[in-house]
Amino acid sequence: MRKNIVAGNWKMNTTVPEGVKLAEEVNEALKGIEPKCDVVICVPFTHLVSVNNVITEKGKLGLGAENCADHKSGAYTGEVSAPMVASTGAGYVILGHSERRQYYGETAETLREKVALALENGLTPIFCIGEVLAEREADKHFDVVKAQIVDGLFNLSAEDFGKIILAYEPVWAIGTGKTATDDQAQEMHAFIRQTIAEKYGKEVADNTSILYGGSCKPSNARQIFAKPDVDGGLIGGASLKCADFMGIVEAFD
Ligand code: PGA
Protein backbone atom coordinates (compact mmCIF):
# COMPACT_ATOMS: atom_id res chain seq x y z
CA MET A 1 0.00 0.00 0.00
CA ARG A 2 1.01 3.58 -0.49
CA LYS A 3 2.93 5.42 2.19
CA ASN A 4 2.13 8.56 4.10
CA ILE A 5 4.98 11.02 3.70
CA VAL A 6 5.81 14.44 5.09
CA ALA A 7 8.67 16.04 3.18
CA GLY A 8 10.29 19.38 3.92
CA ASN A 9 11.45 21.61 1.08
CA TRP A 10 13.91 24.09 2.53
CA LYS A 11 14.26 25.93 -0.79
CA MET A 12 17.08 28.51 -0.77
CA ASN A 13 17.12 28.96 2.98
CA THR A 14 19.68 28.43 5.75
CA THR A 15 23.47 28.51 5.67
CA VAL A 16 25.22 25.17 6.13
CA PRO A 17 25.61 25.60 9.93
CA GLU A 18 21.98 26.70 10.25
CA GLY A 19 20.80 23.79 8.13
CA VAL A 20 22.84 21.26 10.07
CA LYS A 21 21.34 22.61 13.30
CA LEU A 22 17.82 22.32 11.92
CA ALA A 23 18.48 18.78 10.70
CA GLU A 24 19.89 17.86 14.12
CA GLU A 25 16.74 19.19 15.77
CA VAL A 26 14.46 17.18 13.49
CA ASN A 27 16.61 14.08 13.95
CA GLU A 28 16.48 14.53 17.73
CA ALA A 29 12.71 15.09 17.74
CA LEU A 30 12.20 11.87 15.80
CA LYS A 31 14.19 9.84 18.34
CA GLY A 32 11.41 10.03 20.86
CA ILE A 33 8.52 9.05 18.57
CA GLU A 34 7.38 6.48 16.05
CA PRO A 35 6.02 8.67 13.26
CA LYS A 36 3.04 7.31 11.32
CA CYS A 37 4.60 8.60 8.11
CA ASP A 38 7.93 8.68 6.33
CA VAL A 39 9.72 11.94 7.06
CA VAL A 40 12.06 13.51 4.51
CA ILE A 41 14.01 16.76 4.43
CA CYS A 42 15.01 18.17 1.04
CA VAL A 43 17.89 20.59 1.43
CA PRO A 44 20.22 22.72 -0.73
CA PHE A 45 22.99 20.83 -2.54
CA THR A 46 25.65 22.47 -0.35
CA HIS A 47 24.04 20.97 2.77
CA LEU A 48 23.57 17.37 1.67
CA VAL A 49 26.79 15.79 2.92
CA SER A 50 26.85 17.62 6.25
CA VAL A 51 23.17 17.00 6.90
CA ASN A 52 23.53 13.33 5.99
CA ASN A 53 26.32 13.07 8.57
CA VAL A 54 24.06 14.19 11.42
CA ILE A 55 21.10 11.95 10.56
CA THR A 56 21.27 8.99 12.92
CA GLU A 57 17.58 8.06 12.57
CA LYS A 58 18.04 6.75 9.02
CA GLY A 59 14.96 4.55 9.24
CA LYS A 60 12.74 7.50 10.14
CA LEU A 61 14.35 10.47 8.40
CA GLY A 62 15.15 10.52 4.69
CA LEU A 63 17.25 13.10 2.90
CA GLY A 64 16.68 14.65 -0.50
CA ALA A 65 17.90 17.32 -2.91
CA GLU A 66 15.66 19.99 -4.40
CA ASN A 67 16.68 19.45 -8.01
CA CYS A 68 19.24 17.67 -10.18
CA ALA A 69 20.71 18.20 -13.63
CA ASP A 70 19.26 16.80 -16.83
CA HIS A 71 22.68 15.40 -17.79
CA LYS A 72 24.78 12.72 -16.17
CA SER A 73 28.13 14.53 -16.18
CA GLY A 74 30.29 16.80 -18.26
CA ALA A 75 30.68 20.43 -19.20
CA TYR A 76 27.64 21.89 -17.45
CA THR A 77 29.16 24.52 -15.18
CA GLY A 78 27.23 24.99 -11.97
CA GLU A 79 24.98 21.96 -12.35
CA VAL A 80 24.70 19.05 -9.92
CA SER A 81 23.99 15.60 -11.32
CA ALA A 82 21.81 12.78 -10.03
CA PRO A 83 24.87 10.54 -9.39
CA MET A 84 26.42 13.37 -7.35
CA VAL A 85 23.24 13.73 -5.29
CA ALA A 86 23.04 9.97 -4.73
CA SER A 87 26.70 9.88 -3.66
CA THR A 88 25.93 12.21 -0.71
CA GLY A 89 23.64 9.62 0.83
CA ALA A 90 20.44 11.33 -0.30
CA GLY A 91 17.57 9.09 -1.36
CA TYR A 92 15.13 11.61 -2.80
CA VAL A 93 15.03 14.53 -5.22
CA ILE A 94 12.30 17.09 -5.78
CA LEU A 95 11.74 17.55 -9.52
CA GLY A 96 9.58 20.00 -11.43
CA HIS A 97 8.82 22.30 -8.53
CA SER A 98 6.75 25.23 -9.83
CA GLU A 99 9.56 27.64 -8.90
CA ARG A 100 11.89 25.67 -11.19
CA ARG A 101 9.30 25.56 -13.96
CA GLN A 102 8.50 29.26 -13.59
CA TYR A 103 11.89 30.89 -12.90
CA TYR A 104 14.28 28.47 -14.59
CA GLY A 105 12.20 27.44 -17.58
CA GLU A 106 12.01 23.74 -16.81
CA THR A 107 10.03 21.95 -19.46
CA ALA A 108 8.46 18.51 -19.62
CA GLU A 109 11.34 17.43 -21.85
CA THR A 110 14.08 18.36 -19.35
CA LEU A 111 11.99 16.87 -16.56
CA ARG A 112 11.76 13.54 -18.36
CA GLU A 113 15.58 13.49 -18.50
CA LYS A 114 15.85 14.39 -14.84
CA VAL A 115 13.36 11.74 -13.79
CA ALA A 116 15.19 9.08 -15.81
CA LEU A 117 18.56 10.03 -14.31
CA ALA A 118 17.14 10.16 -10.78
CA LEU A 119 15.67 6.67 -11.16
CA GLU A 120 18.85 5.29 -12.74
CA ASN A 121 20.74 6.49 -9.71
CA GLY A 122 18.35 5.07 -7.16
CA LEU A 123 16.81 8.40 -6.17
CA THR A 124 13.08 8.67 -5.53
CA PRO A 125 11.66 11.65 -7.43
CA ILE A 126 9.14 13.84 -5.66
CA PHE A 127 7.52 15.16 -8.83
CA CYS A 128 5.61 18.43 -8.46
CA ILE A 129 2.56 19.47 -10.44
CA GLY A 130 0.03 22.25 -10.01
CA GLU A 131 -1.80 25.07 -11.70
CA VAL A 132 -1.42 28.83 -11.38
CA LEU A 133 -4.31 30.98 -10.20
CA ALA A 134 -5.33 32.15 -13.69
CA GLU A 135 -5.61 28.52 -14.80
CA ARG A 136 -7.85 27.66 -11.85
CA GLU A 137 -9.99 30.72 -12.42
CA ALA A 138 -10.35 29.74 -16.08
CA ASP A 139 -11.37 26.25 -14.91
CA LYS A 140 -8.34 24.73 -16.64
CA HIS A 141 -6.69 23.30 -13.53
CA PHE A 142 -7.55 19.68 -14.28
CA ASP A 143 -6.26 19.94 -17.85
CA VAL A 144 -3.05 21.65 -16.75
CA VAL A 145 -2.27 19.10 -14.06
CA LYS A 146 -3.10 16.20 -16.34
CA ALA A 147 -0.79 17.56 -19.05
CA GLN A 148 2.05 17.93 -16.54
CA ILE A 149 1.66 14.30 -15.52
CA VAL A 150 1.23 12.95 -19.05
CA ASP A 151 4.11 14.97 -20.53
CA GLY A 152 6.51 14.56 -17.61
CA LEU A 153 5.91 10.99 -16.49
CA PHE A 154 3.80 8.86 -18.78
CA ASN A 155 6.83 7.77 -20.81
CA LEU A 156 7.77 5.61 -17.79
CA SER A 157 7.14 1.90 -17.49
CA ALA A 158 4.61 0.91 -14.83
CA GLU A 159 7.48 -0.38 -12.72
CA ASP A 160 9.32 2.93 -12.85
CA PHE A 161 6.16 4.96 -12.36
CA GLY A 162 5.65 2.99 -9.17
CA LYS A 163 8.82 4.60 -7.78
CA ILE A 164 7.51 8.17 -8.14
CA ILE A 165 6.02 10.31 -5.39
CA LEU A 166 3.71 13.03 -6.69
CA ALA A 167 3.19 16.40 -5.03
CA TYR A 168 0.18 18.48 -6.01
CA GLU A 169 1.03 22.08 -5.27
CA PRO A 170 -1.41 24.70 -6.51
CA VAL A 171 0.95 27.58 -7.30
CA TRP A 172 -1.46 30.12 -5.81
CA ALA A 173 -1.12 28.38 -2.44
CA ILE A 174 2.69 28.23 -2.30
CA GLY A 175 4.14 30.60 0.26
CA THR A 176 1.00 32.72 0.17
CA GLY A 177 -0.68 31.56 3.33
CA LYS A 178 -3.66 30.69 1.13
CA THR A 179 -4.13 26.93 1.41
CA ALA A 180 -6.35 24.93 -0.87
CA THR A 181 -9.34 23.72 1.08
CA ASP A 182 -9.30 20.08 2.04
CA ASP A 183 -12.09 19.51 -0.48
CA GLN A 184 -10.15 21.23 -3.28
CA ALA A 185 -7.11 19.09 -2.45
CA GLN A 186 -9.16 15.89 -2.34
CA GLU A 187 -10.90 16.70 -5.63
CA MET A 188 -7.59 17.19 -7.44
CA HIS A 189 -5.86 14.24 -5.76
CA ALA A 190 -8.71 11.93 -6.75
CA PHE A 191 -8.46 13.26 -10.32
CA ILE A 192 -4.70 12.63 -10.34
CA ARG A 193 -5.19 9.09 -9.07
CA GLN A 194 -7.84 8.48 -11.72
CA THR A 195 -5.47 9.81 -14.40
CA ILE A 196 -2.79 7.38 -13.22
CA ALA A 197 -5.30 4.50 -13.13
CA GLU A 198 -6.31 5.14 -16.75
CA LYS A 199 -2.69 4.77 -17.84
CA TYR A 200 -1.19 2.20 -15.45
CA GLY A 201 -4.19 0.53 -13.83
CA LYS A 202 -5.88 0.80 -10.46
CA GLU A 203 -3.22 -1.05 -8.50
CA VAL A 204 -0.41 1.30 -9.52
CA ALA A 205 -2.69 4.30 -8.90
CA ASP A 206 -3.69 3.04 -5.46
CA ASN A 207 -0.04 2.55 -4.54
CA THR A 208 1.10 6.04 -5.58
CA SER A 209 1.69 8.52 -2.77
CA ILE A 210 0.24 11.92 -3.67
CA LEU A 211 1.32 14.75 -1.37
CA TYR A 212 -0.32 18.14 -1.01
CA GLY A 213 1.84 21.27 -0.90
CA GLY A 214 1.08 24.95 -0.43
CA SER A 215 0.95 26.78 2.89
CA CYS A 216 0.58 23.56 4.83
CA LYS A 217 1.07 24.09 8.55
CA PRO A 218 0.36 22.34 11.85
CA SER A 219 -3.05 24.02 12.11
CA ASN A 220 -4.36 22.76 8.75
CA ALA A 221 -2.35 19.58 8.08
CA ARG A 222 -4.61 17.22 9.97
CA GLN A 223 -7.72 18.23 8.08
CA ILE A 224 -6.01 18.03 4.67
CA PHE A 225 -4.23 14.74 5.40
CA ALA A 226 -7.51 13.21 6.56
CA LYS A 227 -8.79 13.23 2.98
CA PRO A 228 -8.67 9.76 1.42
CA ASP A 229 -6.47 10.64 -1.57
CA VAL A 230 -4.06 12.93 0.30
CA ASP A 231 -1.02 10.95 1.46
CA GLY A 232 0.92 13.69 3.19
CA GLY A 233 2.55 16.98 2.40
CA LEU A 234 5.44 18.81 0.80
CA ILE A 235 6.20 21.56 3.24
CA GLY A 236 8.07 24.77 2.44
CA GLY A 237 7.98 27.59 5.00
CA ALA A 238 6.80 25.42 7.89
CA SER A 239 9.71 22.99 7.39
CA LEU A 240 12.19 25.67 8.47
CA LYS A 241 11.16 25.47 12.12
CA CYS A 242 11.54 22.10 13.78
CA ALA A 243 8.46 22.53 15.98
CA ASP A 244 6.22 23.45 13.03
CA PHE A 245 7.57 20.64 10.87
CA MET A 246 7.11 18.10 13.66
CA GLY A 247 3.61 19.45 14.26
CA ILE A 248 2.81 18.51 10.67
CA VAL A 249 4.48 15.07 11.02
CA GLU A 250 2.30 14.49 14.07
CA ALA A 251 -0.84 15.26 12.07
CA PHE A 252 -0.61 11.56 11.22
CA ASP A 253 -1.47 9.77 14.45
P1 PGA B 1 4.99 26.47 1.28
O1 PGA B 1 5.80 25.80 0.06
O2 PGA B 1 4.71 25.38 2.26
O3 PGA B 1 5.95 27.52 1.83
O4 PGA B 1 3.77 27.07 0.70
C1 PGA B 1 5.50 24.52 -0.40
C2 PGA B 1 6.41 24.16 -1.55
O5 PGA B 1 6.67 25.04 -2.39
O6 PGA B 1 6.89 23.02 -1.65
Side-chain angles (χ1 to χ4, degrees), residues 85-107:
V85 170
S87 73
T88 67
Y92 299 82
V93 60
I94 297 173
L95 291 176
H97 190 280
S98 61
E99 288 151 16
R100 304 279 333 158
R101 294 178 190 260
Q102 213 176 327
Y103 308 145
Y104 301 96
E106 287 198 351
T107 62

Side-chain angles (χ1 to χ4, degrees), residues 101-115:
R101 294 178 190 260
Q102 213 176 327
Y103 308 145
Y104 301 96
E106 287 198 351
T107 62
E109 193 184 357
T110 55
L111 287 172
R112 286 197 297 272
E113 297 298 329
K114 291 182 182 203
V115 168

Side-chain angles (χ1 to χ4, degrees), residues 7-9 11 94 97-99 128 169 173-177 213-217 234-239:
N9 173 13
K11 308 193 180 184
I94 297 173
H97 190 280
S98 61
E99 288 151 16
C128 302
E169 300 200 303
I174 295 178
T176 57
S215 300
C216 201
K217 39 189 184 268
L234 182 57
I235 318 300
S239 71

